[in-house]
Amino acid sequence: MKVAILESLSISKEELNKRKAPFEKKGVEFVEFEKSMDKDMLIDEAKDAEAVIIANMPFKDEVIEGLDHLKFIDVAFTGVDHVGLKAAKEKGISVSNASGYSNEAVSELVFGMVISIARNIRQTEERCREGKTVGIIGHGRIGKRTAELFHAFDAELLIYDPVEQMDRPEYIEQTSVEDLLGRSDIVVLHCPLIDSTKGLIDAKKLSLMKKTAILINVARGPVVNAKDLADALNNEVIAGAGIDVFDCEPPLPEDEPLLHCKNILLTPHIAFASEQSMSLRAEIVFDNLAAWMEGRQQNVIL
């Protein structure tokens, strides 16, 4: 069996070799490549592989359609909107993600952004204790962890999630998007990119927010209309924003609206990237591979 690792997992060579070793003892052959955006190169690199490991590089339908031996896509990422799920489903290819690896890292960056935007750590901490209202859109694993951290600061917590959260703690109120936006001092986006969330935060939604509010997006770029957000910041519709994700992966084009507005903190999609989360991600990815080989696929997307 051949497994193609098509981009770096951001762990040391020593750790990678350690994680590959149990599989190699069973006769699994690993081949490793640098990240590529070229369709023909990707098809050539993975042409004989039964499984591929990728992180956040695009792995679209046209690539998957050209891989006749592929049976499993092991995604070292939580989101899978960069993977050609249509082609994978049509070809009966299994897909797993690395759900859970970055819960702590992403939630920590949310706090770092909020503190940085407010510019003064001590005063920000005091304001949180004075009872800021925090609205979290998307109450999955990462959203829940962010809520726990804000609760430690005695913040009032609102969530919006299309699924009724029956097990939510008593300190969290589930409400509508509109109510959450209107009441929150800090709005944090943790939702996946699907049809119903694309462009969710637009000019109309931004107009519902407090003029003193901060928006944090660590979900997916297209959840927010970038031009509308830039206009809202420049026109003081809201007070500030922290953005880690964009319509495309950094480096950003010069005409990216969010590069040319005020009161914004930009980071190049690094919320997930702590040393601890990278190691945990690799552990989950190789556990996914082992589970799939044993016929008990986990972290199932397809």
Side-chain angles (χ1 to χ4, degrees):
M1 176 179 171
K2 180 181 284 189
V3 178
I5 302 176
L6 297 179
E7 62 177 310
S8 170
L9 296 177
S10 300
I11 55 175
S12 68
K13 190 68 176 177
E14 291 75 19
E15 181 174 357
L16 180 60
N17 288 338
K18 182 179 178 180
R19 296 197 181 279
K20 291 186 326 188
F23 295 90
E24 291 171 330
K25 287 180 181 178
K26 297 177 181 179
V28 176
E29 176 189 358
F30 287 92
V31 288
E32 301 171 38
F33 301 95
E34 295 294 322
K35 181 175 182 176
S36 173
M37 308 292 278
D38 184 86
K39 168 196 151 187
D40 293 331
M41 183 176 291
L42 287 171
I43 291 173
D44 184 64
E45 290 171 348
K47 64 178 181 287
D48 299 323
E50 293 180 63
V52 297
I53 296 175
I54 63 169
N56 67 335
M57 60 177 279
F59 201 67
K60 298 300 186 180
D61 288 331
E62 55 266 31
V63 175
I64 295 170
E65 288 165 357
L67 297 173
D68 295 331
H69 299 283
L70 187 61
K71 298 178 181 177
F72 181 49
I73 303 172
D74 198 356
V75 184
F77 224 60
T78 303
V80 292
D81 48 275
H82 57 300
V83 179
L85 297 181
K86 180 176 179 290
K89 185 174 183 179
E90 288 174 353
K91 298 188 71 173
I93 297 169
S94 300
V95 181
S96 290
N97 71 346
S99 178
Y101 82 93
S102 62
N103 297 358
E104 199 71 26
V106 175
S107 297
E108 288 172 355
L109 185 73
V110 169
F111 265 76
M113 283 184 155
V114 170
I115 291 170
S116 296
I117 292 165
R119 300 179 181 172
N120 187 294
I121 293 174
R122 184 182 63 80
Q123 289 181 3
T124 300
E125 197 269 352
E126 288 176 355
R127 287 178 191 143
C128 286
R129 293 187 184 277
E130 287 168 4
K132 286 290 184 184
T133 298
V134 178
I136 299 173
I137 297 179
H139 198 233
R141 293 183 183 181
I142 300 175
K144 289 175 181 176
R145 181 56 182 151
T146 298
E148 290 172 354
L149 293 178
F150 274 111
H151 177 59
F153 285 88
D154 290 333
E156 179 183 353
L157 282 156
L158 308 175
I159 63 161
Y160 168 74
D161 195 291
V163 178
E164 176 68 19
Q165 302 288 298
M166 304 302 295
D167 61 343
R168 69 182 186 277
E170 52 85 23
Y171 58 79
I172 293 176
E173 177 186 347
Q174 186 163 6
T175 187
S176 67
V177 171
E178 291 77 11
D179 183 60
L180 181 150
L181 293 173
R183 292 167 57 191
S184 298
D185 300 293
I186 299 164
V187 175
V188 183
L189 304 180
H190 280 310
C191 50
L193 178 61
I194 55 178
D195 289 344
S196 62
T197 62
K198 188 172 183 179
L200 175 67
I201 304 300
D202 57 10
K204 183 178 179 180
K205 294 292 200 319
L206 289 162
S207 71
L208 300 176
M209 295 174 64
K210 297 178 180 180
K211 289 186 178 296
T212 55
I214 291 171
L215 175 70
I216 304 293
N217 187 11
V218 288
R220 288 291 180 269
V223 172
V224 177
N225 184 302
K227 183 180 184 306
D228 287 356
L229 176 57
D231 290 343
L233 290 166
N234 287 330
N235 294 317
E236 300 181 358
V237 174
I238 65 172
I243 304 296
D244 185 56
V245 287
F246 307 89
D247 288 348
C248 65
E249 288 294 311
L252 301 174
E254 291 185 6
D255 61 354
E256 165 59 52
L258 298 178
L259 292 175
H260 308 285
C261 60
K262 59 186 181 181
N263 300 331
I264 193 167
L265 174 65
L266 303 177
T267 53
H269 202 174
I270 50 95
F272 63 90
S274 71
E275 182 178 349
Q276 293 82 4
S277 65
M278 293 297 93
S279 183
L280 178 57
R281 181 175 79 168
E283 179 181 342
I284 293 171
V285 165
F286 281 92
D287 283 349
N288 285 345
L289 180 60
W292 173 75
M293 289 173 62
E294 294 168 5
R296 52 175 187 87
Q297 186 185 356
Q298 62 188 16
N299 291 315
V300 176
I301 300 298
L302 285 178

